[in-house]
Amino acid sequence: VVLNGGNYKGNTDNGAFIKPRGEGKIVLKLNGVNYTDSSDNGYVVALDSYEGTDISLYVDGGTYSSAAGINVYNGEIKNAKVTATGSTWEYGTAIEVVGDEEVDRYVGGTTLIEDCEIESKAYGVAVGFSSKVTVQNCNVTSADKAYVVFPSGGTIDVVGGSYKGELYIYELDSK
């Protein structure tokens, strides 16, 4: 699925602008898209209905504002402004790179976030389920936590840029 430009408002699928389903290989590309959702529980991309293990997201440019931000497993987010307007970890994480332990999917994904403006009332960038994220030359501003590692573990490499907010690692699960 490729979206080249355009202005979109409001969510379209059960609280999400994009909510992939099924289990086959999916590649999503958002190029210069401007999306705004003012609901209390909206996502830009929500992966909770996808049941497979091969999904990639590529964002190049644009602005994305919603309560819960972007869920990603694998891919790149570049030259974008991502704003999460919610105030809890669930509805307030701008970019969340995690999986789903119950079906053992998305584990170990790798994502590059580069040259982005990331704003959140709760969490800026969060990682879990052994996923790996490189955040390069981004400005992350959070009223709470700029970077978070969830209990299931993961890695966030920060190269350049700036951040405002707490750095936080939950007590990690012992598995």
Side-chain angles (χ1 to χ4, degrees):
V1 175
V2 178
L3 289 178
N4 286 314
N7 298 309
Y8 303 88
K9 187 174 182 177
N11 57 59
T12 59
D13 186 356
N14 227 9
F17 177 52
I18 297 174
K19 191 172 195 173
R21 299 177 190 286
E23 56 187 51
K25 180 178 181 175
I26 297 176
V27 177
L28 302 170
K29 294 182 180 183
L30 305 177
N31 301 314
V33 169
N34 296 305
Y35 173 71
T36 303
D37 176 32
S38 58
S39 70
D40 293 337
N41 64 346
Y43 283 82
V44 177
V45 177
L47 298 180
D48 59 332
S49 293
Y50 178 69
E51 297 174 356
T53 58
D54 193 2
I55 186 167
S56 299
L57 172 68
Y58 298 93
V59 174
D60 188 4
T63 59
Y64 306 87
S65 177
S66 64
I70 296 174
N71 288 158
V72 60
Y73 163 61
N74 187 49
E76 297 178 350
I77 301 173
K78 295 182 175 184
N79 309 308
K81 181 174 182 181
V82 181
T83 304
T85 59
S87 58
T88 66
W89 75 266
E90 184 177 14
Y91 298 113
T93 300
I95 300 175
E96 184 175 348
V97 185
V98 294
D100 188 327
E101 183 177 38
E102 291 179 14
V103 293
D104 197 30
R105 63 183 181 194
Y106 312 147
V107 176
T110 302
T111 299
L112 171 65
I113 305 169
E114 185 174 36
D115 298 323
C116 290
E117 295 289 326
I118 300 167
E119 297 178 0
S120 173
K121 291 181 182 175
Y123 297 176
V125 176
V127 64
F129 294 94
S130 302
S131 296
K132 296 177 179 146
V133 178
T134 299
V135 180
Q136 189 166 316
N137 300 322
C138 293
N139 296 315
V140 179
T141 304
S142 174
D144 190 3
K145 296 170 178 54
Y147 293 106
V148 175
V149 177
F150 286 129
S152 56
T155 303
I156 302 174
D157 269 335
V158 178
V159 181
S162 66
Y163 72 90
K164 180 180 178 184
E166 187 178 352
L167 306 178
Y168 193 80
I169 300 174
Y170 279 89
E171 183 175 326
L172 300 179
D173 292 342
S174 56
K175 292 185 180 182

